[in-house]
């Protein structure tokens, strides 16, 4: 297994780009369009929780557009692991501020399948309790 914690452009994964794009989209809505460069046109995204899985670029863009529209601030921290079968696994935490001023935190584990071109074909997320320092 390969673990990346502090990524650089030399060892950046598609998940690193995905997380950075998501956080930027809160400030720069036009950055959402960059997701098209990291997902295949027929990719499937299952973010879990109350959201139904979506397939295809129009549905993926709509889902992420809805998520980011509710935020005025977002910051993710994450660690990516390459699994033995080639999938990427990302443990992440997010702190955010909603448009109504509420602060929130959440965390999850995403597993991503990537094609030979390095684009996401399948992303699934499972929410997990936020870990504490103790």
């Amino acid at each position: 297994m390969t673990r990346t914690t502090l990524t650089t452009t030399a060892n950046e994964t598609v998940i690193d780009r995905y997380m950075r794009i998501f956080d930027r989209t809160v400030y720069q809505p036009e950055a959402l369009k960059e997701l098209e460069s990291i997902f295949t046109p027929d990719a499937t995204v299952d973010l879990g929780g109350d959201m139904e899985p979506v397939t295809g670029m129009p549905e993926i863009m709509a889902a992420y557009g809805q998520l980011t529209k509710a935020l005025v601030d977002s910051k993710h921290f994450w660690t990516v692991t390459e699994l033995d079968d080639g999938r990427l696994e990302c443990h992440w935490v997010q702190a955010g501020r909603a448009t109504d001023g509420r602060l929130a935190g959440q965390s999850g584990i995403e597993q991503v399948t990537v094609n030979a071109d390095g684009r996401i074909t399948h992303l699934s997320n499972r929410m997990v309790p936020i870990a504490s320092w103790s």
Side-chain angles (χ1 to χ4, degrees):
M1 290 194 308
T2 304
R3 185 171 297 270
T4 61
T5 52
L6 297 173
T7 56
T8 65
T9 25
N11 69 351
E12 183 176 73
T13 70
V14 69
I15 294 178
D16 297 309
R17 292 192 310 272
Y18 162 76
M19 292 292 191
R20 288 188 183 104
I21 290 168
F22 185 94
D23 285 342
R24 276 188 32 244
T25 300
V26 173
Y27 306 105
Q28 302 171 324
E30 65 277 6
L32 183 68
K33 188 113 176 98
E34 293 177 37
L35 289 178
E36 293 177 352
S37 71
I38 63 170
F39 286 100
T40 61
D42 60 347
T44 299
V45 173
D46 182 0
L47 296 176
D50 296 337
M51 295 187 70
E52 291 294 319
V54 294
T55 300
M57 198 53 60
E59 289 81 10
I60 290 169
M61 297 298 283
Y64 284 103
Q66 284 298 111
L67 285 174
T68 57
K69 187 170 36 171
L71 297 170
V72 294
D73 200 3
S74 173
K75 178 64 179 166
H76 282 82
F77 298 91
W78 64 93
T79 299
V80 179
T81 302
E82 182 177 346
L83 303 176
D84 292 337
D85 64 5
R87 288 177 302 147
L88 300 175
E89 183 172 86
C90 175
H91 291 244
W92 60 269
V93 296
Q94 177 196 24
R97 182 185 315 269
T99 54
D100 65 6
R102 288 179 297 135
L103 299 175
Q106 59 183 359
S107 67
I109 300 171
E110 291 183 337
Q111 290 194 343
V112 173
T113 303
V114 178
N115 70 8
D117 296 328
R119 294 174 75 190
I120 297 171
T121 60
H122 183 81
L123 181 149
S124 63
N125 180 69
R126 176 174 50 93
M127 302 303 288
V128 297
I130 295 177
S132 68
W133 294 107
S134 54

